[in-house]
C-alpha cells in the first residue's frame, strides 16, 4: 500500500501539500544507494509503537498527528538484495524533510502538522499485527515489604557490607589514558569484545543482559575505578520492544545463580536507532541504571545496531549525569597496545 504524507499549515491546520512518503525519503538515502547500480526499491514498515508527537526544527514546529505509529523500518533493495535496513522514529526521519519543505512553502509560518495518511486506527489493527515485543513474565509468589516498618517485622533488615575493592595498575595492562577524569575505565577480558560484537541480537526488539567480572580502584587515582569484564550474560525472563528493555526480579535471580565469586559490574542493552540526544542513553536507560546499578563502578554498556556495524559505548554515573567510559580490549590482538577509546565498533 502506497503511503502519502499530508502537510498542514498554521493553527487551523490547513492542508497545503500531499507527497508520497517514498518520494520524500529517497533523497535522504542517496549516500546509502550511491555505491550500487540500478533503481532502489524501498520497503517501509510502520510500527504501531507510540513515538514523540512533536519535531522541533530551526524555527519550525511539526506535530505528528499519527504519533501512535511512531516508528518506521526502512529497507532498501538493490541488485537483488537488501543493501540497507534500519528502524527510525518517524519524527527523526520525516521531520527534517518536512521542515525544509515547510520553509519553502511559507518561511514566516512556525506551526505545522503532518500525518501519514492511510494508516489503520489502533482498533482496526488485525490481531497479532501489533508491534514486535516480548512481554516480561508475570511474577508470582512475591510480597512487598515496607522497610520503614522494619522495627515491627519479625526479622531485621540492614544494608549489605560494601565489597572490598582492590587496586589495579592500568599501566600493567598497556592502557594509556588520555581522559584521566573518567569515573570508570572498562577493560574487556578475553573473548568479551568478540562476544559483544558477534552475539546474535534481534533487529526487531531491544536485547540486553549483564556484565560480570571484577571491580577495582585505579592505583594512580584511587577515587576512580576500573572494571574487568570477564563474561556477558544475556538476561533471562526479560521484557522488550522496539524501544524498551526491561529486567525482572527473575532476570537477576537467574544471573545470581551463575555469578559465583565474580561481581556484577554492569549491564548492556541494544538500541535499534540513533537517539536524538548528545548522549546515547535514553532518559529511561539513565533512570534504570541509577535506580538499579548503584555501585560507582557499575557501567551501562550500549550497543548501537546499524545495518553495517555495531558500536559499543559504556557509561557510568557521574554527579547527576552519565559520563562516557574509556574501553580497552585485553585480547591478544594486533591492537594490544592501543590506547583506550570511548567506543569500539566493527564493520
Amino acid at each position: 500500500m502506497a503511503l502519502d504524507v499530508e502537510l498542514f499549515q498554521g493553527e487551523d491546520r490547513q492542508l497545503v501539500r500531499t507527497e508520497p512518503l517514498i518520494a520524500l525519503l529517497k533523497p535522504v538515502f542517496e549516500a546509502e544507494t550511491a555505491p550500487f547500480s540500478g533503481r532502489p526499491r524501498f520497503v517501509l514498515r510502520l510500527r504501531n509503537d507510540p513515538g514523540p508527537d512533536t519535531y522541533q526544527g530551526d524555527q519550525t514546529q511539526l506535530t505528528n498527528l499519527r504519533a501512535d505509529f511512531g516508528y518506521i523500518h526502512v529497507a532498501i533493495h538493490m541488485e537483488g538484495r537488501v543493501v540497507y535496513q534500519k528502524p527510525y522514529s518517524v519524527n527523526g526521519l520525516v521531520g527534517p524533510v518536512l521542515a525544509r519543505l515547510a520553509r519553502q512553502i511559507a518561511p514566516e509560518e512556525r506551526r505545522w502538522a503532518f500525518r501519514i495518511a492511510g494508516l489503520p486506527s489502533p482498533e482496526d489493527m488485525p490481531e497479532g499485527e501489533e508491534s514486535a515485543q516480548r512481554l516480561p513474565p508475570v511474577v508470582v509468589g512475591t510480597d512487598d515489604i515496607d522497610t520503614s516498618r522494619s522495627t515491627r517485622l519479625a526479622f531485621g533488615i540492614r544494608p549489605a557490607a560494601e565489597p572490598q575493592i582492590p587496586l589495579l595498575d592500568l599501566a600493567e595492562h598497556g592502557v594509556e589514558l588520555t581522559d584521566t577524569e573518567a569515573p570508570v575505565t572498562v577493560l574487556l577480558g578475553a573473548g568479551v569484545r568478540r562476544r559483544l560484537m558477534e552475539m546474535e541480537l534481534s533487529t526487531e526488539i531491544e536485547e540486553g543482559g549483564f556484565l560480570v567480572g571484577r571491580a577495582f580502584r585505579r592505583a594512580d587515582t584511587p577515587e576512580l575505578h576500573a572494571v574487568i569484564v570477564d563474561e556477558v550474560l544475556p538476561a533471562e525472563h526479560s521484557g522488550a520492544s522496539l524501544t524498551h528493555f526491561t529486567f525482572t526480579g527473575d532476570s537477576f535471580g537467574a544471573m545470581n545463580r551463575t555469578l559465583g565469586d565474580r561481581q556484577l559490574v554492569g549491564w548492556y542493552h541494544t538500541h535499534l536507532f540513533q537517539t536524538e540526544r548528545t548522549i546515547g542513553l535514553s532518559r529511561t536507560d539513565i533512570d534504570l541504571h541509577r535506580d538499579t546499578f548503584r555501585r560507582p563502578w557499575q557501567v551501562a554498556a550500549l550497543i548501537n545496531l546499524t545495518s553495517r556495524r555495531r558500536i559499543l559505548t559504556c557509561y557510568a554515573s557521574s554527579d547527576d549525569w552519565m559520563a562516557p567510559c574509556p574501553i580497552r580490549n585485553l585480547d591478544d590482538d594486533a591492537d594490544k597496545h592501543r590506547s583506550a577509546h570511548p567506543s569500539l565498533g566493527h564493520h
Side-chain angles (χ1 to χ4, degrees), residues 101-175:
L101 179 60
R103 287 194 296 270
Q104 295 172 7
I105 296 172
E108 73 288 350
E109 182 64 66
R110 297 294 177 261
R111 291 188 172 274
W112 299 81
F114 75 95
R115 73 178 176 193
I116 298 178
L119 296 175
S121 61
E123 56 270 17
D124 293 334
M125 290 288 292
E127 188 174 353
E129 291 294 320
E130 295 84 2
S131 61
Q133 61 179 321
R134 180 179 64 242
L135 295 175
V138 177
V139 179
V140 297
T142 64
D143 198 1
D144 293 327
I145 299 174
D146 184 356
T147 57
S148 65
R149 299 174 57 250
S150 60
T151 56
R152 287 175 283 178
L153 296 175
F155 52 87
I157 298 175
R158 64 176 183 274
E162 289 289 335
Q164 293 295 318
I165 305 297
L167 294 174
L168 180 70
D169 186 352
L170 292 176
E172 293 181 357
H173 293 275
V175 177

Side-chain angles (χ1 to χ4, degrees), residues 21 25 28-29 44 55 72 74 88-98 276:
L21 177 57
L25 295 183
V28 177
F29 295 99
L44 308 179
Y55 172 79
I72 183 171
V74 178
Y88 294 86
S89 70
V90 169
N91 282 13
L93 182 60
V94 179
V97 179
L98 292 180
E276 297 172 8

Side-chain angles (χ1 to χ4, degrees), residues 168-206:
L168 180 70
D169 186 352
L170 292 176
E172 293 181 357
H173 293 275
V175 177
E176 300 174 6
L177 290 175
T178 57
D179 184 4
T180 57
E181 299 302 315
V184 182
T185 300
V186 179
L187 309 178
L188 303 181
V192 170
R193 179 184 182 275
R194 180 180 295 274
R195 169 76 165 146
L196 290 168
M197 292 294 104
E198 298 183 1
M199 66 191 299
E200 184 176 347
L201 294 170
S202 173
T203 59
E204 298 288 324
I205 58 176
E206 291 188 359

Side-chain angles (χ1 to χ4, degrees), residues 197 303-311 344-347:
M197 292 294 104
I303 304 174
N304 275 107
L305 302 182
T306 73
S307 61
R308 292 190 177 91
R309 62 175 180 166
R310 300 178 182 185
I311 299 176
L344 293 175
H346 87 145
H347 294 269

Side-chain angles (χ1 to χ4, degrees), residues 310-340:
R310 300 178 182 185
I311 299 176
L312 171 69
T313 312
C314 290
Y315 302 89
S317 293
S318 176
D319 298 324
D320 60 347
W321 195 234
M322 301 289 289
C325 302
I327 305 171
R328 173 69 168 90
N329 183 24
L330 297 183
D331 270 342
D332 291 329
D333 56 19
D335 354 311
K336 180 175 180 180
H337 299 293
R338 175 176 53 80
S339 298

Side-chain angles (χ1 to χ4, degrees), residues 232-254:
V232 178
L233 298 176
E236 302 178 21
H237 315 292
S238 60
S241 70
L242 177 73
T243 58
H244 294 96
F245 177 82
T246 306
F247 292 112
T248 66
D250 288 338
S251 301
F252 285 88

